[in-house]
Amino acid sequence: MLEKATRSAIEVRSTTKIYGNDRASGVVAVDDVSLEITDNEFFTLLGPSGCGKTTLLRLIAGFEQPTQGEILLFGEHLEGLPPHNRSVNTVFQHYALFPHMTVSQNISFGLEMLGIDKIEIRKTVSRMLELVQMPQLADRKINQLSGGQQQRVALARALAPNPKVLLLDEPLSALDFKLRKEMQSELKRLQNETGITFIFVTHDQEEALTMSDRVAVMKDGQVLQVGKPREVYDHPAQRFVADFIGDINILRGELISTKKGEAKVKLASGFVGDAILPIGVGDISGVVNVAIRPEQLSFSNSTNSTLPGIIKEITYFGSGLHYEIELSTGETIKLRQQSVGRSNTEFSSGETVNIAVADDAIQVLVD
Amino acid sequence: MSNQSTFADIEKSQLSASLVTANKRAQKTRALLLAPAVLTIFLIGILPLSIVLVYSFLEPGSYGGVKWNLSFDAYIQLLFEEDIFEETLTFNTAYLQIFWRSLSLAIVATITCLFIGFPMAYFISIQSAHRKNTLLFLVTIPFWTNLLIRTYCMLLILRDQGALNLALVNLGILDKPLPLLYTDFAVGLGLVYAFLPFMVLPIYTSLEKFDFRMVEAGSDLYASRFKVLTRIIIPIAKPGIAAGCILVFIPSLGAYITPELLGGGKSLMIGNLINLQFGQGRNWPFGSAIALILMVMVMISLFVYLNRTTRNEES
Ligand SMILES: Nc1ncnc2c1ncn2[C@@H]1O[C@H](COP(=O)(O)OP(=O)(O)OP(=O)(O)O)[C@@H](O)[C@H]1O
Ligand SMILES: [Mg+2]
């Protein structure tokens, strides 16, 4: 049927940013990145510290110029456009609120700079204060606010001019766990209500998975994989992505047949199962790494198409149990069992068990 | 039982007695420790000022000094001229002109220092740590020599056969030397030169603490470079700017060496006038009166300034 027309909000075309003179002597912070972020999307850049997330945002905001490549905002080339002429606002990692202004002055600053009239500004500011749920603090100075309140002011300040795209650079990293959870759902709500495209940066994989429409996993300035949280979680294409997001088992195996994305893999222990090939990758054959999530494994009574092993360690983690099991090949495999109403079969350390693998659980990795 | 309680009572009373003596002793120590400061303030601050105040209401002695007769002549003299033959008073603006010149030169010097000093301080504050130190060091170099000597050098540069005029003439820009020396311009230039570091250093101190990421935040919110300067950098650096202005304005207003050397006898400032009264003029009460008026002027301008800045902060 009819698909909702998707416009691209931000298009990053083979963009490279090198700090310093050249590739050899400088730092390649962003390395040939291409991304297309659609309108209304909650898009997340996920990656370890120093992988170039902030640099990518700074390129979009206009604080840095790409060494190579180009960036488009709703089809418009941004090259040479200074930050104050881009309809993009940033929530900085360090908030960067103006200390000499009150909360409402901070929020109205962008609107004033746009030359919007006073009555309109006042209306918008009070709407923003409602939105971030702090209208009673309008006249406070910034240094009289808690960290979480400052974070919300930074958000309101960036949202007030109604930008086409909002960039959020690890805005929640300074908050404690509870506030962080609250702000996560608040951000999600704000994005729904305003319909503004959010580009959100985090190095917290759980945050990325719960909040985003799509996630881009970055490493060393490169985007390794882009996809819906489920896709990235269930079907990581590379070992780094698999390792970075969630707990995972990486095992050695041999591809014994490949046919249009369907493949059979033979693990070192002799187990043969269906495997999923990484998307958009050409020929793979021979010995590969495969990834299996611990929760895709379960104990089985049958010895038929299962992996035999010996339980080495059992850890209780509240909502379930975590087993470390040694396979006959000497490899250790993690198995996660959720506690459910009926009592789980109890196992103890040293016991010999058979492990069953769920359908579609074996993901072939590129490297 | 009762014995015990009396013991306890005695102990308690002894204790409180010893507490009282300890308290007294502490007070004494405090007074003793404060004494040098109080004495110094009295000796170098209050006492000389009181003498000046008293002298300004006395009559001048024939060869300097004072005669101990109450008189308001010193203050009257400032505005009126006494005709010796007719004994009438006519309004005289000669002294007022000097006051006016001092005030305007001080204001111009302060504003000029601000316009030169702010960019300088800004420039220094965005350098790397090493270059910052070098540049700050260079700013303070003039303090290594006496102001008198530095002002003489200024004189050597500005006079008709001085470096500046020679250069301009030899380059063919001027036909004959420009008479720069002994003008208000020369005095103003001398003041700016002498007091510029007092503007640069406090502004630098406040810009040093300035978080330059604010600039990015500003331009992210659609502020042009100019708006970032006027709406973010200057308001945050305001304490430094205020301190710099005060530190330049006050010594400029009372400057003595600079107008003495670069103004010749022509471009007098309050400082020279005071000096004149205690020297050649032999009119100590008049000198004292002028000095007091200078002080009041400074106090009023400070008061107005502080009042305005604090009110701005509140609003
Ligand atoms: N101004 C700069 N000059 C030189 N190198 C820089 C500069 N800014 C960043 N880098 C380098 O570029 C790389 C990417 O930095 P960036 O700040 O984009 O990382 P990040 O992914 O945001 O990390 P984090 O999660 O720690 O914030 C890093 O290796 C960093 O050292
Ligand atoms: Mg960063």
Side-chain angles (χ1 to χ4, degrees):
Chain A
M1 285 287 292
L2 272 175
E3 268 245 278
K4 201 177 99 187
T6 50
R7 284 197 298 166
S8 78
I10 289 281
E11 221 177 303
V12 180
R13 291 184 183 162
S14 8
T15 296
T16 297
K17 173 68 193 178
I18 300 172
Y19 291 112
N21 298 325
D22 52 59
R23 207 163 253 278
S25 65
V27 179
V28 187
V30 170
D31 193 359
D32 194 24
V33 166
S34 294
L35 281 175
E36 197 172 336
I37 298 160
T38 44
D39 197 8
N40 282 351
E41 193 169 23
F42 196 118
F43 191 88
T44 297
L45 297 172
L46 173 66
S49 185
C51 71
K53 305 177 298 280
T54 298
T55 305
L56 190 52
L57 287 197
R58 292 174 61 80
L59 288 167
I60 296 171
F63 300 128
E64 306 286 352
Q65 299 305 315
T67 315
Q68 258 163 44
E70 53 187 0
I71 298 171
L72 285 78
L73 174 66
F74 286 93
E76 181 198 352
H77 286 264
L78 289 178
E79 195 183 336
L81 213 60
H84 65 266
N85 289 340
R86 301 185 180 197
S87 183
V88 171
N89 287 152
T90 309
V91 178
F92 294 91
Q93 190 163 4
H94 44 84
Y95 311 151
L97 295 170
F98 304 128
H100 59 298
M101 298 182 191
T102 61
V103 168
S104 50
Q105 283 168 339
N106 262 281
I107 298 174
S108 66
F109 187 85
L111 298 162
E112 279 173 49
M113 293 301 119
L114 286 174
I116 289 161
D117 71 67
K118 284 216 163 70
I119 302 162
E120 194 58 37
I121 290 180
R122 208 169 308 143
K123 269 193 235 160
T124 312
V125 169
S126 59
R127 206 181 64 237
M128 284 301 138
L129 286 168
E130 294 289 340
L131 202 63
V132 294
Q133 298 168 359
M134 49 191 302
Q136 70 287 359
L137 300 179
D139 296 322
R140 285 268 187 97
K141 273 271 162 79
I142 297 308
N143 58 12
Q144 299 165 333
L145 298 178
S146 73
Q149 289 165 339
Q150 288 186 20
Q151 202 268 318
R152 281 185 278 171
V153 177
L155 196 63
R157 183 180 73 170
L159 278 172
N162 197 26
K164 290 179 178 163
V165 174
L166 188 71
L167 309 176
L168 303 103
D169 194 354
E170 301 194 37
L172 309 182
S173 58
L175 307 182
D176 65 51
F177 182 77
K178 193 161 174 293
L179 194 56
R180 199 177 166 128
K181 288 283 159 216
E182 264 173 49
M183 286 307 300
Q184 283 178 4
S185 53
E186 208 159 323
L187 272 183
K188 196 68 196 151
R189 173 179 66 84
L190 281 173
Q191 201 259 335
N192 279 333
E193 280 176 24
T194 57
I196 295 172
T197 309
F198 276 33
I199 304 181
F200 183 85
V201 161
T202 182
H203 56 239
D204 179 336
Q205 45 100 9
E206 194 188 321
E207 197 167 275
L209 294 180
T210 52
M211 296 174 77
S212 328
D213 294 326
R214 280 195 308 152
V215 181
V217 182
M218 290 183 72
K219 182 202 175 195
D220 297 338
Q222 292 177 322
V223 171
L224 299 185
Q225 191 173 356
V226 185
K228 296 202 170 77
R230 263 227 99 84
E231 285 167 18
V232 178
Y233 183 83
D234 286 343
H235 305 298
Q238 299 188 26
R239 188 180 177 133
F240 177 83
V241 178
D243 252 343
F244 194 73
I245 301 180
D247 221 358
I248 205 153
N249 295 300
I250 312 261
L251 299 171
R252 300 294 281 172
E254 192 185 350
L255 273 175
I256 49 177
S257 75
T258 56
K259 237 184 282 155
K260 285 184 215 149
E262 289 292 309
K264 278 206 184 303
V265 80
K266 184 178 177 190
L267 299 184
S269 54
F271 173 89
V272 176
D274 289 335
I276 293 167
L277 290 172
I279 307 157
V281 178
D283 290 342
I284 312 179
S285 57
V287 177
V288 290
N289 280 320
V290 299
I292 309 169
R293 294 279 172 203
E295 64 270 21
Q296 303 278 25
L297 299 173
S298 56
F299 294 112
S300 167
N301 294 325
S302 131
T303 52
N304 204 2
S305 66
T306 53
L307 290 152
I310 299 166
I311 295 179
K312 285 283 157 200
E313 206 179 304
I314 306 172
T315 320
Y316 173 69
F317 64 92
S319 59
L321 291 164
H322 182 95
Y323 298 87
E324 300 273 339
I325 300 157
E326 193 180 295
L327 300 180
S328 52
T329 54
E331 292 166 304
T332 308
I333 196 168
K334 288 170 267 190
L335 184 152
R336 194 164 271 232
Q337 197 179 39
Q338 293 300 119
S339 304
V340 276
R342 60 197 155 79
S343 65
N344 287 332
T345 342
E346 293 281 345
F347 293 99
S348 50
S349 234
E351 211 168 316
T352 305
V353 289
N354 295 312
I355 303 166
V357 182
D359 294 342
D360 288 348
I362 304 175
Q363 173 69 38
V364 178
L365 301 174
V366 176
D367 57 352
Chain B
M1 280 295 264
S2 64
N3 266 351
Q4 261 181 357
S5 75
T6 40
F7 272 136
D9 281 349
I10 289 164
E11 258 173 29
K12 216 190 258 169
S13 69
Q14 273 176 347
L15 196 70
S16 67
S18 72
L19 266 180
V20 168
T21 48
N23 230 339
K24 270 192 185 153
R25 206 177 305 136
Q27 269 176 3
K28 237 186 199 165
T29 337
R30 227 174 68 185
L32 264 171
L33 285 174
L34 276 175
V38 173
L39 203 66
T40 314
I41 290 171
F42 179 75
L43 281 181
I44 70 169
I46 296 169
L47 189 63
L49 274 181
S50 315
I51 294 174
V52 170
L53 181 69
V54 171
Y55 273 25
S56 75
F57 290 105
L58 297 176
E59 280 178 12
S62 320
Y63 304 101
V66 286
K67 280 193 219 144
W68 287 84
N69 298 328
L70 180 69
S71 158
F72 298 100
D73 279 357
Y75 293 93
I76 296 169
Q77 215 176 341
L78 200 63
L79 295 176
F80 300 98
E81 197 173 22
E82 198 174 351
D83 194 306
I84 307 168
F85 303 109
E86 294 174 27
E87 296 204 343
T88 53
L89 292 174
T90 46
F91 189 63
N92 178 5
T93 59
Y95 294 128
L96 279 186
Q97 271 173 20
I98 295 176
F99 271 91
W100 176 243
R101 178 185 299 122
S102 298
L103 195 64
S104 42
L105 273 176
I107 290 173
V108 169
T110 307
I111 293 172
T112 313
C113 279
L114 181 60
F115 275 88
I116 303 172
F118 187 87
M120 261 175 87
Y122 186 89
F123 178 77
I124 297 172
S125 67
I126 58 175
Q127 303 300 312
S128 67
H130 178 71
R131 286 194 56 188
K132 259 183 206 172
N133 286 336
T134 317
L135 290 170
L136 281 178
F137 175 73
L138 290 176
V139 168
T140 55
I141 276 189
F143 291 134
W144 291 17
T145 53
N146 184 289
L147 178 62
L148 188 63
I149 292 164
R150 280 186 282 142
T151 311
Y152 259 119
C153 296
M154 207 65 178
L155 187 145
L156 293 180
I157 294 170
L158 290 177
R159 65 186 179 149
D160 286 5
Q161 285 78 41
L164 188 63
N165 270 318
L166 276 184
L168 288 174
V169 170
N170 284 340
L171 284 173
I173 297 169
L174 291 176
D175 298 336
K176 56 180 192 330
L178 202 64
L180 293 171
L181 207 54
Y182 309 136
T183 57
D184 284 356
F185 171 77
V187 178
L189 193 67
L191 291 176
V192 169
Y193 170 64
F195 300 124
L196 186 60
F198 293 121
M199 183 64 84
V200 175
L201 295 176
I203 296 182
Y204 167 77
T205 312
S206 62
L207 285 177
E208 161 83 320
K209 282 176 285 181
F210 179 76
D211 181 355
F212 279 92
R213 295 180 299 192
M214 293 294 155
V215 174
E216 286 188 351
S219 59
D220 188 66
L221 291 161
Y222 314 109
S224 60
R225 281 160 154 251
F226 180 73
K227 285 283 182 197
V228 168
L229 181 70
T230 55
R231 294 289 306 271
I232 298 167
I233 300 175
I234 290 178
I236 295 179
K238 212 160 89 182
I241 293 172
C245 287
I246 290 170
L247 286 179
V248 172
F249 178 76
I250 292 174
S252 293
L253 193 60
Y256 167 67
I257 292 177
T258 313
E260 183 75 16
L261 291 183
L262 302 177
K266 289 193 235 164
S267 190
L268 281 185
M269 284 178 74
I270 301 176
N272 311 103
L273 194 59
I274 298 171
N275 177 55
L276 215 58
Q277 299 315 315
F278 283 95
Q280 291 161 304
R282 287 190 193 141
N283 193 344
W284 289 22
F286 189 39
S288 304
I290 302 167
L292 275 179
I293 290 168
L294 173 63
M295 206 178 85
V296 171
M297 278 168 74
V298 168
M299 275 160 65
I300 290 175
S301 30
L302 266 185
F303 184 77
V304 169
Y305 192 91
L306 289 178
N307 223 8
R308 267 192 49 190
T309 45
T310 46
R311 197 175 318 139
N312 276 356
E313 239 139 66
E314 275 160 22
S315 68

